[in-house]
Amino acid sequence: SPTKITFFVGQTDNSFKIYWLDYNGSKKAYTSLESGTNWTAETYISHPWVVYRVSANGSESCHSIVKGKKSYHNGFLDKKR
């Protein structure tokens, strides 16, 4: 079923990269988000999305994994997690 996920970034020094995991489990880059920004993915409830926190030196660490729900879904990203 089609759905939407909106990713929100709070006030933080971190940036984030959003990837879709394809049917083979490979990451497909979609966007980067900075402090105070948001982005909405039009997706399906079976599609997993992975969010990576990007440090000042460019290294990435997994922040969260999100899948769509039958209703509209929001993902909040900040440095507290």
Side-chain angles (χ1 to χ4, degrees):
S1 296
T3 190
K4 293 181 182 180
I5 303 171
T6 298
F7 298 91
F8 294 94
V9 179
Q11 296 302 312
T12 178
D13 294 333
N14 295 304
S15 61
F16 296 87
K17 287 188 179 178
I18 312 291
Y19 297 91
W20 172 63
L21 290 181
D22 71 13
Y23 301 104
N24 296 314
S26 299
K27 294 188 306 185
K28 303 296 181 188
Y30 266 74
T31 194
S32 295
L33 297 173
E34 303 297 325
S35 180
T37 62
N38 66 74
W39 177 72
T40 300
E42 294 190 18
T43 188
Y44 293 89
I45 60 173
S46 62
H47 290 188
W49 293 82
V50 182
V51 179
Y52 281 83
R53 181 183 298 112
V54 181
S55 69
N57 69 5
S59 66
E60 297 181 13
S61 60
C62 185
H63 177 276
S64 55
I65 300 172
V66 179
K67 284 179 74 174
K69 297 182 178 184
K70 289 183 181 180
S71 60
Y72 191 70
H73 182 69
N74 294 320
F76 294 94
L77 311 176
D78 60 30
K79 64 181 178 182
K80 296 178 184 173
R81 293 186 179 189

